[in-house]
Amino acid sequence: MLTAREVERFVTDGFVCVPEAFPRALADECRAFLWRETGLDPDDPATWTKPVIRLDGYGGELFNAAANASALHEAFDQLVGTGRWLPRDGLGTFPIRFPHPSDPGDAGWHMEGSYTVEGEQGYWLNLRSRGRALLMLFLFSDIGPDDAPTRIKVDAAGKLDSPDRALALATGHPGDVYLCHPFLIHAAQPHRGHEPRFMAQPPLTPVGPLELRRADGAYSPVELAVLRGLGSPA
Ligand SMILES: O=C(O)CCC(=O)C(=O)O
């Protein structure tokens, strides 16, 4: 369970880290699987010829166990609301980053889009965060400050005009998970360390869009953060 203080920090900062959300041994097994999928040799840096490669989603026992760890389900209830999210089937989009002299070319600040408008292309985002209850960062390797941790602007409301916001780094260990507000501004960065970085950044799927006018005032922390960003008294 997240403490009341952690929930409040999620509302103000836009993220909370759940250390050891799933077992390290499970994370190690997942990483070994992902290494095989890359077709690269973990023991031969000469094979790491690109700064980043992206693997798509994987289901199966390993990834389902990580995605549905009980600590995470409890935290989803606390941050999104009981009955307001759908359990994940596997994990997807693994941007795997390697120590490399070239710029990865995908390290700009952004919020995640969450749905595609019919007849349009790309990913869109709306105020009620259609299609995304949370952005999640699942760590599958040891990630120190030099190992391309995701950069985070500390601010749940995602104010793009806030250059002076504090910066946080999604460092940690295999099995740690960062639960982030869907409007969190974040960015990748080049890898300056030695060990490739393995991370998944799937969405948590909501049952419906955020509700920003609740008659009973029972707003979730995700909704509260949006309301505060809008300057609402809720
Ligand atoms: O790799 C990372 O650290 C973040 C990647 C990211 O934000 C993205 O692909 O949208």
Side-chain angles (χ1 to χ4, degrees):
M1 290 283 276
L2 301 174
T3 63
R5 196 181 161 81
E6 285 172 320
V7 172
E8 179 53 31
R9 282 198 43 201
F10 172 88
V11 174
T12 55
D13 295 352
F15 68 97
V16 63
C17 179
V18 183
E20 299 176 32
F22 61 97
R24 184 179 180 121
L26 173 61
D28 291 344
E29 273 189 81
C30 292
R31 191 176 64 256
F33 171 91
L34 294 167
W35 263 119
R36 289 193 291 278
E37 290 294 297
T38 65
L40 306 177
D41 184 344
D43 299 319
D44 183 4
T47 65
W48 310 344
T49 56
K50 293 181 184 163
V52 58
I53 60 172
R54 286 176 184 262
L55 299 177
D56 287 336
Y58 295 103
E61 209 177 311
L62 289 182
F63 292 104
N64 278 334
N68 294 298
S70 59
L72 292 178
H73 279 201
E74 284 177 30
F76 299 160
D77 280 346
Q78 287 179 279
L79 298 178
V80 177
T82 306
R84 295 186 191 162
W85 53 271
L86 299 173
R88 277 206 60 88
D89 183 13
L91 285 178
T93 312
F94 296 85
I96 302 174
R97 298 191 183 274
F98 298 87
H100 199 279
S102 305
D103 188 287
D106 64 351
W109 290 104
H110 62 283
M111 288 183 217
E112 229 50 62
S114 53
Y115 66 99
T116 300
V117 174
E118 206 180 321
E120 298 283 354
Q121 291 187 338
Y123 285 98
W124 295 55
L125 176 67
N126 69 7
L127 184 62
R128 297 177 70 197
S129 196
R130 176 173 159 191
R132 187 185 301 271
L134 291 174
L135 164 70
M136 303 186 285
L137 309 178
F138 282 71
L139 275 46
F140 287 97
S141 59
D142 281 303
I143 306 177
D146 290 337
D147 304 320
T150 305
R151 295 175 290 158
I152 290 172
K153 291 255 183 184
V154 180
D155 177 9
K159 292 185 213 76
L160 283 164
D161 61 348
S162 300
D164 53 344
R165 281 281 166 183
L167 188 71
L169 299 176
T171 54
H173 304 288
D176 296 351
V177 177
Y178 283 72
L179 301 178
C180 308
H181 194 278
F183 298 163
L184 187 81
I185 298 176
H186 61 286
Q189 60 175 316
H191 196 312
R192 299 182 181 86
H194 300 288
E195 287 302 317
R197 187 215 68 174
F198 286 74
M199 191 268 278
Q201 54 154 29
L204 180 69
T205 304
V207 164
L210 296 183
E211 184 52 74
L212 301 176
R213 286 194 191 139
R214 290 192 183 276
D216 60 1
Y219 295 106
S220 70
V222 172
E223 291 166 342
L224 271 182
V226 176
L227 289 169
R228 284 197 198 167
L230 292 172
S232 161

